[in-house]
Amino acid sequence: MIGPMSNQGRPRFAFYGDDFTGSVDALLQFRRAGLSGLLLTSPDALAAATSERCGAVPDVIGLAGLARSLPTAELPDEVRPALRVLRDTGAAVVQYKACSTGDSSPTVGSLGRVLEIAREEFGELPIPVALAQPDFGRYTFFGHHFAADGDQVFRLDRQPTMRDHPITPATESDLRLQLAAQTRLPIGALPWTSYGDAGTVAATLRGDLPDGSDRGRPAAVIVDAFVDDHLDQVATAVLDGAAIDRSGQARFVLGSGGISGALGRAYRPADPLPELPTDCPPARRPMLVLSGSTSRRTREQIARSKWTVVDLFDPGVAERTATELTAGRDVIVSSTTDTDLSSAAADAVTDSDIPGALATVGERVLRSGDLAPDRMIICGGDTAGNVLRRLGVDAISILAQPWGNAVLCRATSRHQHLDGLELVLKGGQMGHPDLFTDVRSGNPQN
């Protein structure tokens, strides 16, 4: 179960992640900077954990959410309570962790609507919007965003995955124009040519104009970054007293794991945690993969594993999965297979039911006592969060980083059969081709 934490202290940073795999990435970036952290699965879990008087408050508290996949009309009910409970932790900086490809549209997961909500909750200082994450192949140059696909870097609206995204296809690389289609708030920019002058960076993030007025002050500022040093300068300005509201209000930022890492580096904890291990022991029992991902990378990983693949829409999916695991075989339960079962049976299961169907299989298998898997992979940024919440996982923490941004985590739960379960949460495009077999064996990425 979640250990109670003291309210005599407070976290330095708090963040809401708009999907679960992205939330894990933010937690990882803070951890790489030496900060302790805990990622919770709901506002209720966070409020309960921070209301007790025993234990230590981590440097970072994260809240994994689902906003990226929600219709824009539903965002206030998801985002506002989350931001309020994070603000009330007393953190100096609260981040809305968005995907580094800026996945959003006027109708789904609107980042423009998020900015409007944040202005109402955190005041009117300009909100830095930092989507770049150079170590993940995400760059912003004069307001235009770029994303790698394999060994090539594309302008966002030409990047194959984002151009053809089934829900939020990228049609514009200029982030100012993308956000302008989602909100009427004025959007400004901080070009990379301003870096090197700390005063200019800080003034821009305060919204100061040369004449000292607030005329035309932007509500949000797109910040350029194509190397970590750019993000570090932004983070330093955010943490600097001159760039933080003097009322003591938490400073709000919107961005990817790139700005998470930069904030951690700028903070420089006095007693940083040691580096994460880059290896781990093998799984003790056969592996279970629950996949709601449709990405080409996930399909490649499934094919490379040569494990038993069970169609999620097979009426006997839970029983067959349990039988295969009991026989010592690693099993992948997938909502996207090359068999005829999916096309025949999927009519009865909508996309929104897929996480529930996967969680039902997971619940059946994980309650099988000594034969239950001790390590599990969940594929799909939106899928992972829904599955974990439905299973009853309360929080996760990072154990090791053997496979890049696909990290090994430990589940915390009030349910005994889930507490201590090892997890890898994998977004669609995450991980190298042999990720599944390496997670099974504990081998680090080659």
Side-chain angles (χ1 to χ4, degrees):
M1 297 182 65
I2 298 174
M5 294 184 290
S6 171
N7 60 10
Q8 297 175 356
R10 62 180 184 174
R12 182 64 182 177
F13 303 104
F15 70 87
Y16 171 89
D18 66 0
D19 75 351
F20 269 66
T21 55
S23 300
V24 173
D25 179 55
L27 191 69
L28 170 63
Q29 302 310 322
F30 282 116
R31 177 64 181 80
R32 289 173 65 184
L35 278 67
S36 60
L38 186 67
L39 179 64
L40 295 111
T41 61
S42 73
D44 290 342
L46 190 153
T50 56
S51 66
E52 301 292 341
R53 290 184 170 273
C54 167
V57 176
D59 298 312
V60 182
I61 290 179
L63 176 56
L66 308 168
R68 192 176 77 169
S69 62
L70 291 179
T72 296
E74 298 178 18
L75 283 179
D77 288 342
E78 166 75 9
V79 174
R80 194 183 302 278
L83 294 186
R84 285 179 175 175
V85 75
L86 292 172
R87 182 190 62 197
D88 291 347
T89 64
V93 179
V94 174
Q95 177 187 356
Y96 183 96
K97 197 284 179 186
C99 181
S100 60
T101 47
D103 294 20
S104 67
S105 77
T107 58
V108 178
S110 168
L111 295 179
R113 185 70 183 100
V114 170
L115 291 173
E116 294 168 354
I117 296 168
R119 291 265 290 181
E120 296 166 3
E121 300 298 330
F122 291 88
E124 296 187 353
L125 279 179
I127 297 170
V129 177
L131 296 180
Q133 191 165 354
D135 71 342
F136 201 44
R138 308 290 189 256
Y139 314 97
T140 307
F141 185 78
F142 288 117
H144 287 263
H145 206 51
F146 298 80
D149 187 275
D151 295 330
Q152 299 185 62
V153 175
F154 297 87
R155 204 174 71 185
L156 186 65
D157 55 344
R158 296 179 180 176
Q159 201 257 16
T161 300
M162 291 308 303
R163 180 194 61 204
D164 301 326
H165 196 287
I167 299 174
T168 53
T171 59
E172 176 57 64
S173 66
D174 190 326
L175 296 176
R176 293 162 293 187
L177 295 180
Q178 184 190 85
L179 289 179
Q182 301 177 22
T183 180
R184 293 183 179 180
L185 292 174
I187 309 298
L190 178 64
W192 66 275
T193 48
S194 298
Y195 298 139
D197 182 347
T200 298
V201 174
T204 301
L205 297 184
R206 287 195 306 268
D208 288 352
L209 295 177
D211 60 6
S213 73
D214 62 359
R215 173 181 47 82
R217 172 191 276 187
V221 177
I222 305 296
V223 301
D224 277 4
F226 47 89
V227 293
D228 283 344
D229 180 64
H230 295 156
L231 291 169
D232 290 344
Q233 291 187 55
V234 171
T236 298
V238 168
L239 289 177
D240 184 78
I244 297 177
D245 188 342
R246 293 176 183 174
S247 70
Q249 176 80 288
R251 187 68 196 266
F252 182 82
V253 300
L254 187 154
S256 70
I259 194 64
S260 306
L263 287 167
R265 292 190 296 271
Y267 175 48
R268 297 186 181 92
D271 189 20
L273 295 177
E275 291 186 5
L276 282 166
T278 55
D279 58 2
C280 66
R284 298 186 301 274
R285 303 170 195 151
M287 285 274 302
L288 173 65
V289 178
L290 300 176
S291 177
S293 171
T294 61
S295 77
R296 290 176 296 172
R297 176 51 59 92
T298 302
R299 286 178 177 269
E300 180 184 14
Q301 290 161 336
I302 290 173
R304 290 284 288 262
S305 72
K306 302 187 185 304
W307 293 353
T308 300
V309 180
V310 179
D311 197 305
L312 176 63
F313 305 117
D314 182 343
V317 56
E319 291 72 22
R320 184 184 169 198
T321 300
T323 298
E324 295 287 336
L325 289 167
T326 300
R329 289 184 279 272
D330 303 296
V331 179
I332 301 166
V333 178
S334 176
S335 64
T336 306
T337 72
D338 295 325
T339 71
D340 292 333
L341 280 171
S342 288
S343 59
D347 290 342
V349 181
T350 66
D351 287 345
S352 61
D353 291 331
I354 286 174
L358 290 169
T360 297
V361 176
E363 179 73 6
R364 162 72 172 81
V365 170
L366 292 170
R367 284 189 177 276
S368 58
D370 292 341
L371 299 176
D374 61 309
R375 186 174 295 173
M376 185 168 72
I377 300 173
I378 307 178
C379 304
D382 300 327
T383 300
N386 275 296
V387 170
L388 288 183
R389 283 184 175 180
R390 295 184 191 213
L391 285 174
V393 171
D394 297 312
I396 59 176
S397 53
I398 297 176
L399 294 176
Q401 189 187 6
W403 316 291
N405 284 3
V407 295
L408 185 67
C409 300
R410 180 188 184 276
T412 300
S413 175
R414 71 203 77 175
H415 305 295
Q416 186 174 0
H417 67 285
L418 294 171
D419 197 48
L421 177 67
E422 294 180 351
L423 294 166
V424 173
L425 308 182
K426 192 198 85 69
Q429 298 302 311
M430 287 176 62
H432 58 292
D434 292 318
L435 176 67
F436 291 5
T437 53
D438 284 347
V439 171
R440 174 74 167 90
S441 67
N443 291 334
Q445 179 179 350
N446 294 325

